[in-house]
Amino acid sequence: AHHPFASTRPSLRGIQPAFVSRDGVPRSAVATVNSGELRGGQLGGIDWALIFYFAGWYLGNYYYTLNNKLCLKAAGGATGFPVTIGFLQMLIGSLYGLYLWVAPDARPLPSVTPTDLISILPVAACAAGAHLSSIFSMNLGAVSFSQIVKAAEPAFAALLGVTLYGKPISKAKWLCLIPVIGGVCLASVKELDFSVAALFAACVANIFAAFRSNENKKLMETPGLKTRIGSTGNQFAISTLLGTLSLFPFFLLFEASRFGKFIELFKTVPAVRNNLITSGLYFYLYNELSTLTIAKTSATTQSVANTAKRVIVIVGVAIALGESLEPIKMLGCSIGIGGVLLYSLVK
């Protein structure tokens, strides 16, 4: 079996050409498309730009999940530095977003007001909360198990929508939640690394993600806000910057006192250093590419794409990390993800 720490740079070879320019500087997916390499979008009836977005989204998500777990393990696992790693990943993304604003011809600055930033802050804080909770879940248990629980996000979104936002849910959608919840329960039965804390953290991540989704819909209805933000890329960059600021107090409270020890690990353990930097960049890039994909596709396509992505990430990462793929776990995973797909498709 391949040891997870045998290579500390499992990711750069995989997709470097798509995101790295000739001088070795990472570029935004937006900058790549706008630079003319994919201009025109469709060639011979094929939308190459959309294929690029999909490939980058899937690969970026896979490598982020893998590198994130490798970094957490190398930094001490359950007794390590999950808050520091989550905060620094978002800080790396923020620095990358700022770089794109100052770099010539990369991305125009948004014209948002201080009031706009205050209204965006709750959405950004929820996104940061979902990110940090996911890291806790992956740190405390198997990545595949965490991803299966996170697939049940629609159940949390439906519950919050009905109770707090007054959004009615059709009977068909409610029925689709039965296989979602049942599948997660079935997958948990044979989970060798089962941890109540990992399950709880994944559920908290789902709650934050559900709040972010509902709040974002309300936010985007603000008159003129889309125009002032300017682009999908700008929206994600602003959200990442504000999310990083939201995590800073938690970093100070929980792990800042041990930051010297983390710096020593960063300097002396390549698995920490390489996987932290690459996971931070992949996290930013795959999220930006997923938003660009959503902007170019229908709701049905998004649902199918999201389902396929979850399966690829769950199975791919489990194989790469040598995690259990018990038949009952895979059956539960299939039922749960199938339920999510149905939920997304039915009216």
Side-chain angles (χ1 to χ4, degrees), residues 13-146:
R13 286 193 212 96
I15 64 170
Q16 193 174 18
F19 295 138
V20 181
S21 62
R22 287 186 186 89
D23 58 4
V25 179
R27 290 184 299 174
S28 163
V30 180
T32 304
V33 174
N34 287 348
S35 70
E37 290 169 33
L38 295 169
R39 193 173 287 140
Q42 298 198 5
L43 183 66
I46 298 168
D47 192 336
W48 291 104
L50 185 59
I51 289 172
F52 170 79
Y53 292 162
F54 266 118
W57 173 24
Y58 280 29
L59 280 169
N61 196 325
Y62 169 80
Y63 279 119
Y64 159 71
T65 308
L66 182 61
N67 290 19
N68 179 55
K69 182 66 174 183
L70 292 173
C71 184
L72 289 164
K73 270 188 175 181
T79 57
F81 299 87
V83 179
T84 303
I85 288 167
F87 171 67
L88 291 177
Q89 282 170 343
M90 291 203 70
L91 184 63
I92 289 165
S94 297
L95 293 172
Y96 182 60
L98 289 169
Y99 162 76
L100 291 173
W101 281 333
V102 297
D105 303 321
R107 181 178 285 162
L109 273 166
S111 55
V112 288
T113 64
T115 310
D116 289 335
L117 294 176
I118 291 165
S119 62
I120 295 167
L121 185 59
V123 175
C126 285
H131 173 57
L132 194 59
S133 303
S134 298
I135 285 177
F136 269 105
S137 180
M138 285 189 271
N139 194 37
L140 295 165
V143 174
S144 50
F145 175 66
S146 171

Side-chain angles (χ1 to χ4, degrees), residues 300-312:
T300 305
T301 306
Q302 289 160 35
S303 304
V304 176
N306 233 327
T307 304
K309 184 215 73 179
R310 285 192 197 283
V311 173
I312 290 164

Side-chain angles (χ1 to χ4, degrees), residues 170-317:
S170 70
K171 192 178 284 184
K173 276 190 177 289
W174 280 119
L175 288 171
C176 289
L177 293 179
I178 296 168
V180 174
I181 297 161
V184 170
C185 293
L186 195 62
S188 308
V189 172
K190 282 283 185 179
E191 179 50 59
L192 299 177
D193 292 330
F194 182 76
S195 154
V196 174
L199 175 64
F200 178 75
C203 289
V204 170
N206 282 345
I207 292 166
F208 273 123
F211 268 119
R212 177 195 63 200
S213 175
N214 279 297
E215 287 297 321
N216 194 53
K217 280 174 191 161
K218 278 167 55 183
L219 178 70
M220 286 299 114
E221 288 164 9
T222 308
L225 181 62
K226 274 187 183 176
T227 309
R228 292 192 293 276
I229 289 173
S231 69
T232 306
N234 275 351
Q235 184 184 343
F236 186 66
I238 293 166
S239 179
T240 303
L241 281 160
L242 293 175
T244 306
L245 291 174
S246 305
L247 289 186
F248 188 56
F250 292 93
F251 164 69
L252 291 177
L253 185 64
F254 293 108
E255 291 178 11
S257 59
R258 296 193 293 142
F259 192 58
K261 189 182 173 189
F262 181 81
I263 291 296
E264 276 306 305
L265 282 171
F266 185 84
K267 286 178 183 174
T268 57
V269 183
V272 173
R273 182 172 61 251
N274 295 343
N275 287 308
L276 175 66
I277 294 167
T278 52
S279 64
L281 287 170
Y282 286 133
F283 180 72
Y284 188 93
L285 289 165
Y286 98 71
N287 275 292
E288 184 175 321
L289 285 162
S290 74
T291 54
L292 288 165
T293 306
I294 286 163
K296 282 177 75 80
T297 54
S298 69
T300 305
T301 306
Q302 289 160 35
S303 304
V304 176
N306 233 327
T307 304
K309 184 215 73 179
R310 285 192 197 283
V311 173
I312 290 164
V313 170
I314 288 167
V315 177
V317 173

